[in-house]
Amino acid sequence: MRAATSELVRRLDGLVPETALILGSGLGDLVDSVTDPISIPFGDLEGFPQSGVSGHAGEIVAGYMADKPILILSGRAHYYEHGNADIMRLPIEVMQAIGVKRLILTNSAGSLREDIPPGSVMMISDHINWSGMNPLIGEADDRRFVGMTNAYDAPTMEEARVASKAVDVTLHEGIYMWFSGPSFETPAEIRMAKLLGADAVGMSTVPEVILARFCGLDVAAFSVITNYGAGMTGGELSHGETKEMAPQGGKKLGKILLAMLGASNQ
Ligand code: HPA
C-alpha cells in the first residue's frame, strides 16, 4: 500500500482532494467535467486492481470539479470478476491515506419500482447485502465490527437533495440490494427483492461502502437506473443495455454532483 500511496501523492503534485468519486459502468463521461485533469492508469499504482469489465476505464482522474479538488476512480473491480469481496480495499485505504474524507460511489442498477424508470437517478439511502459476502471477513481485530446504522452520510445526502432541486433534476431515494452477479437476477429473485424492501438491484458498491466505513470515510452513493428488474418488462437484460442507458442518467447525476460539490465546504 505504501508504494501506491507515495506514487499517487507524487503524481497529484500537491493536489489534496477531500472528496473521491468511484464511477460505475457506463458513467465514465463524468470525468469530462474535471478541469486540469491528471490521469493515472491503475496499472501505475502497485496493488490497484484492474477491471476487466467493458465500460470501465481503469484509471484515476484527479483535478477540480466545480473548483473543488477531486479524485475520481474511473472504473472499479467487482466481486464477480475475482470472487474477492475486498478487491477494492487497497484503493480505498490509499485514498484515506492521502487525505480523502468522503467517498461518493456511483453504479448502474436495475429498478424494482415502476415510478423510478430507466434514465433516473436514485440516491442510496440504505442497502441490503444479499451476496452473503463481506470484505471484512478474515480481518483480525475488533475493528472488523463496523457499525452500519449510519453508513450513508446524512449531511451529504441533504447536500445532494438541495443540489438536485437547484439543477431541477429529480433525485429518487431508495434501498439498493447487492447481488453478486455476474448473471442478472431471475424474475423470481426480483419479486423476492421487492418483498424484502429493495428499490434497486446491482452488482457493486456494497463492499466498497463497508470498506469505506471501516476506513472512517463518509459515504454517499447513487444509482443510475439503466433498466427495470428482470421479468418486469418481459425483455432479456444485457450488459449492452446497461452501457447504452447509463450515460443518460449519468448526465443527470453529473449535474447533481457538480452542484453539490460547488455548494460544499469540503
Ligand atoms: N441487475 C443487476 N445489476 C444491474 C442491473 C440489474 O438489473 N442493471 C444494471 N446493473
Side-chain angles (χ1 to χ4, degrees), residues 2-223:
R2 264 201 230 131
T5 304
S6 49
E7 177 61 9
L8 181 57
V9 168
R10 191 181 72 76
R11 299 279 277 269
L12 291 179
D13 197 21
L15 186 80
V16 186
E18 289 196 0
T19 300
L21 201 55
I22 297 185
L23 301 184
S25 294
L27 299 175
D29 290 354
L30 284 174
V31 299
D32 296 343
S33 325
V34 176
T35 51
D36 300 330
I38 303 167
S39 299
I40 310 160
F42 286 174
D44 289 4
L45 299 170
E46 195 181 308
F48 264 59
Q50 299 288 311
S51 171
V53 183
S54 61
H56 279 266
E59 60 175 2
I60 286 182
V61 178
Y64 296 84
M65 251 172 104
D67 294 327
K68 301 282 163 41
I70 187 116
L71 183 144
I72 299 184
L73 263 64
S74 182
R76 58 149 67 82
H78 303 79
Y79 171 69
Y80 61 72
E81 292 175 75
H82 319 80
N84 304 338
D86 66 347
I87 190 77
M88 291 298 289
R89 179 166 179 156
L90 183 129
I92 290 170
E93 286 180 337
V94 167
M95 287 194 276
Q96 187 221 4
I98 68 158
V100 168
K101 304 271 184 277
R102 171 163 79 163
L103 182 61
I104 300 177
L105 296 148
T106 68
N107 62 43
S108 292
S111 173
L112 307 187
R113 295 223 333 237
E114 306 283 351
D115 60 330
I116 309 186
S120 319
V121 182
M122 186 189 95
M123 178 157 67
I124 300 178
S125 55
D126 202 350
H127 71 233
I128 299 172
N129 180 353
W130 184 252
S131 72
M133 290 299 142
N134 193 296
L136 300 177
I137 288 176
E139 188 59 30
D141 61 41
D142 283 357
R143 284 179 62 226
R144 64 189 157 194
F145 299 114
V146 176
M148 297 295 289
T149 310
N150 297 302
Y152 297 88
D153 185 53
T156 302
M157 289 179 68
E158 189 51 28
E159 284 177 26
R161 288 184 198 108
V162 171
S164 73
K165 289 204 181 86
V167 293
D168 199 19
V169 173
T170 302
L171 180 62
H172 300 274
E173 295 187 28
I175 312 292
Y176 175 91
M177 190 162 185
W178 178 34
F179 282 81
S180 78
S183 55
F184 284 104
E185 300 73 33
T186 61
E189 286 164 347
I190 292 297
R191 289 194 296 275
M192 173 202 72
K194 278 188 198 175
L195 278 175
L196 294 183
D199 299 294
V201 291
M203 305 180 194
S204 66
T205 304
V206 168
E208 290 129 285
V209 172
I210 296 169
L211 287 165
R213 296 302 300 141
F214 177 66
C215 290
L217 303 181
D218 289 338
V219 171
F222 299 87
S223 292

